[in-house]
Amino acid sequence: MKSIEWSKLGFEYIPTACHIEYKNINGKWDRGRLVKDPYISLSIAAECLHYGQAAFEGLKVYRCQDGKVRVFRDIENAKRMISSANYACMTPFTEEMFVDAVNKVVTANIDYLPPYGTGGSLYLRPLIIGSGPKIGIAPSDEYIFLILATPVGPYYKEGLKGVNALIFEDYDRAAPYGAGRYKLAGNYAASLKAAKIAKEKGYPVVLYLDSKEHKYFDEFTSSNFFAVTNTGEYITPESKSILPSITNMSLIDLANHIGIKATRRSIEFNEIDNFSEVGACGTAVVITPINKITREDKSYHFNSEKGPVIQKLYNALVNIQLGRAPDPFGWMRLIE
Ligand code: PLP
Ligand code: COI
């Protein structure tokens, strides 16, 4: 194993000891195996390659202050991945199989878990693909479910300093009755062009409005949107087109727990002048402050980097994840 500078990690794939891989042929999952080779062999006619029958997840494992290894809310990732698989007509696995796969892949890659205090974590990327050959458009008869593990640090190099977000009028993420609430690979392929243009203009992140009217906030490319109002309330969009973020769900519970009112509702773009802080939340981005939102020729500035609510929520969440604070909701699962 090559030595890793833990505190310098970004969000890049680093090959690790192995991944865990399961195959499903004719509707039945096998017992899975740990595989050293980080390549898979697929038919050139595999359904996932042509028609995008693929869904994935993202979750993190932490070395906690007490030296123990814990994963954050993996059962929620299992549930969400099963719902994505069902939506794309893939044969899902069970929650038990998912949890067992997490345990096995973490244990086998324990040397790649960043030490406590480095700011890093072991990122797990579960993936399910239609692997059987198909030339007509129809669900595959064969599937591969795998989980890879790779050590990561902050998603954005700006980290907690915050980033600027751009809204496009001519790119949408998900249709009103589309697949936006599922973690399908194709949603991300469809976001690459807008993200590239935004980056070229100096914006690391794209913020999407609802695609029907461009009137309400939806979410970012890889994270949910929330704002803190001038009256100190945490608000986050209610929308059928956004991914139900596990981080956001947790922040709502945490906010209420520490006395910050938290509401999920439709949020009009016009409310933007009432925001004091804006944040992006998700597994990869944790909570990233958004300092500026630009729409056409107008920019809106926020005190997010030094925002007191964002700081409180960030500390509350990370302290639970690293075992520095009690876990009142039972979110962390010990991996022995
Ligand atoms: N929204 C999108 C589009 C995402 O890709 C992600 C990342 O998984 C999130 C939101 C955040 O979800 P979670 O907090 O479950 O990681
Ligand atoms: C995650 O936060 O785990 C995600 O899956 C976002 C990803 C697209 C980088």
Side-chain angles (χ1 to χ4, degrees), residues 11 56-59 123 125 155 183 188 221-222 282-285:
F11 202 85
F56 71 99
E57 271 302 326
L59 64 161
Y123 183 71
R125 170 54 66 81
Y155 190 74
K183 213 161 163 59
Y188 296 81
T221 312
S222 62
T283 301
V285 307

Side-chain angles (χ1 to χ4, degrees), residues 139-188:
S140 171
D141 302 316
E142 295 174 19
Y143 295 92
I144 293 174
F145 164 54
L146 61 84
I147 304 184
L148 69 83
T150 195
V152 296
Y155 190 74
Y156 297 112
K157 65 175 183 339
E158 297 83 352
L160 269 179
K161 287 212 186 76
V163 297
N164 299 332
L166 182 61
I167 294 175
F168 284 100
E169 298 306 321
D170 46 359
Y171 287 96
D172 288 323
R173 181 182 169 274
Y177 294 97
R181 79 182 102 152
Y182 304 103
K183 213 161 163 59
L184 300 189
N187 291 344
Y188 296 81

Side-chain angles (χ1 to χ4, degrees), residues 80 173 183 188 219 221-224 243 245-247 282-283:
R80 191 171 65 190
R173 181 182 169 274
K183 213 161 163 59
Y188 296 81
E219 68 171 331
T221 312
S222 62
S223 53
N224 269 185
L243 195 79
S245 155
I246 297 159
T247 314
T283 301

Side-chain angles (χ1 to χ4, degrees), residues 32-220:
R33 60 201 176 105
L34 291 165
V35 183
K36 281 195 184 137
D37 183 2
Y39 290 84
I40 48 178
S41 172
L42 280 177
S43 161
I44 55 171
E47 171 82 19
C48 62
L49 300 178
H50 298 254
Y51 301 127
Q53 199 189 23
F56 71 99
E57 271 302 326
L59 64 161
K60 281 179 175 168
V61 177
Y62 303 86
R63 176 72 72 181
C64 294
Q65 193 176 33
D66 61 4
K68 298 202 166 132
V69 180
R70 293 185 181 87
V71 58
F72 182 69
R73 307 195 76 173
D74 59 336
I75 198 75
E76 297 299 330
N77 294 92
K79 289 188 177 138
R80 191 171 65 190
M81 195 166 182
I82 290 168
S83 87
S84 299
N86 279 323
Y87 184 79
C89 296
M90 298 193 264
T91 312
F93 39 77
T94 62
E95 289 173 23
E96 293 71 31
M97 199 173 130
F98 186 97
V99 168
D100 189 48
V102 166
N103 292 343
K104 286 182 175 143
V105 80
V106 171
T107 309
N109 286 289
I110 204 70
D111 292 344
Y112 291 89
L113 175 65
Y116 173 76
T118 57
S121 55
L122 188 67
Y123 183 71
L124 303 184
R125 170 54 66 81
L127 174 72
I128 182 167
I129 54 174
S131 51
K134 278 274 171 215
I135 209 72
I137 307 171
S140 171
D141 302 316
E142 295 174 19
Y143 295 92
I144 293 174
F145 164 54
L146 61 84
I147 304 184
L148 69 83
T150 195
V152 296
Y155 190 74
Y156 297 112
K157 65 175 183 339
E158 297 83 352
L160 269 179
K161 287 212 186 76
V163 297
N164 299 332
L166 182 61
I167 294 175
F168 284 100
E169 298 306 321
D170 46 359
Y171 287 96
D172 288 323
R173 181 182 169 274
Y177 294 97
R181 79 182 102 152
Y182 304 103
K183 213 161 163 59
L184 300 189
N187 291 344
Y188 296 81
S191 74
L192 293 173
K193 185 81 177 171
K196 181 169 180 278
I197 297 170
K199 262 198 197 111
E200 283 162 5
K201 291 179 189 264
Y203 292 86
V205 55
V206 176
L207 173 55
Y208 291 96
L209 302 178
D210 77 285
S211 41
K212 188 173 175 195
E213 298 180 276
H214 279 206
K215 185 173 171 192
Y216 301 97
F217 287 99
D218 252 356
E219 68 171 331
F220 300 100

Side-chain angles (χ1 to χ4, degrees), residues 224-228 234-237 248 251 277-281 287 310:
N224 269 185
F225 169 94
F226 71 86
V228 180
Y234 178 104
I235 55 172
T236 192
N248 198 3
L251 291 179
E277 303 172 39
V278 173
C281 65
I287 300 179
I310 286 188

